[in-house]
Amino acid sequence: MRRRNTTIAIRCTEEESRRVHELAERHGLKLNDFVMRCALGKKIVVANGIDEIVRQQKAIGRNLNQIATLANMDRLTAVNFQPLLDEHRKVTELIGQLLREVK
């Protein structure tokens, strides 16, 4: 059974309809979810650029996993973590920048 099983119909002008559809699209939400969040006073946050941050975080994770694998195989004697730390710092700065933009 569907969780949301009640329909609410509203009337609006074509211009209002266009604007609501545009806003939902801009926020990356389905029309229903956008309208429900607005009506219930929930905060809508758009985090542009999050895909790039996720990609970089995954790359860092893969690098760490490769280092751990080599270390467990006793094929690793020394590691220069500086490039990895530099990359982590960049990603952390990007996250901070996105959070400041959201506020």
Side-chain angles (χ1 to χ4, degrees), residues 44-63:
I44 298 174
V45 176
V46 177
N48 294 324
I50 197 78
D51 293 338
E52 176 63 19
I53 291 172
V54 169
R55 187 189 67 74
Q56 290 181 14
Q57 288 284 19
K58 285 181 180 180
I60 291 170
R62 281 191 299 273
N63 289 342

